[in-house]
Amino acid sequence: MSDSTVKKVSSKTAPRGTMGQTYLVSGKRLSMRLWENEQPQTDLSRPRDYETVGYVLNGRAELVIEGQTIRLEPGDSWLVPAHAEHSYRILEPFTAVEATAPPAQVHGRDEVKA
């Protein structure tokens, strides 16, 4: 019997989120998304109810988390624990891959909330 949970997702046809993210692949407990060529900006500080790990492919950004500012450059990886107050400041066009657990896009976890 073959495993029916194996998935392949092309970033060209993957769904896009309201904040510009591309949802790559998602399992029951983990998902992956792509932030591609994000332009310089600063987002609002907020906690999320999922854990995030990421890896920078291109560009530079700052992660402001729980009173610390962490500079992110190509080759860097980072962790944002669930419920940690944080924001990102994109300094130059930025591309990164993130994994979230549980999946960010399930149950509206990844929607922009006013």
Side-chain angles (χ1 to χ4, degrees), residues 52-112:
T52 302
V53 295
Y55 179 79
V56 181
L57 297 168
N58 276 312
R60 287 172 176 63
E62 291 177 340
L63 167 60
V64 180
I65 180 169
E66 302 288 334
Q68 299 177 57
T69 300
I70 300 166
R71 179 92 173 201
L72 299 173
E73 299 181 344
D76 290 345
S77 55
W78 73 92
L79 164 70
V80 176
H83 309 290
E85 187 78 26
H86 69 283
S87 66
Y88 296 93
R89 185 177 310 121
I90 308 300
L91 304 173
E92 62 184 54
F94 188 73
T95 299
V97 174
E98 290 183 329
T100 61
Q105 71 273 27
V106 176
H107 304 301
R109 289 184 189 104
D110 208 19
E111 298 301 314
V112 176

Side-chain angles (χ1 to χ4, degrees), residues 4-86:
S4 63
T5 62
V6 175
K7 296 179 184 180
K8 175 188 172 188
V9 176
S10 169
S11 64
K12 294 175 184 152
T13 58
R16 306 270 193 264
T18 59
M19 297 179 291
Q21 70 277 44
T22 301
Y23 294 115
L24 298 174
V25 69
S26 184
K28 292 179 182 179
R29 293 178 293 229
L30 178 71
S31 66
M32 192 167 61
R33 60 188 177 182
L34 172 68
W35 299 92
E36 189 169 29
N37 200 31
E38 290 292 304
Q39 295 302 303
Q41 63 184 321
T42 300
D43 69 358
L44 298 174
S45 185
R46 68 183 58 135
R48 297 292 193 167
D49 67 349
Y50 51 81
E51 182 175 64
T52 302
V53 295
Y55 179 79
V56 181
L57 297 168
N58 276 312
R60 287 172 176 63
E62 291 177 340
L63 167 60
V64 180
I65 180 169
E66 302 288 334
Q68 299 177 57
T69 300
I70 300 166
R71 179 92 173 201
L72 299 173
E73 299 181 344
D76 290 345
S77 55
W78 73 92
L79 164 70
V80 176
H83 309 290
E85 187 78 26
H86 69 283

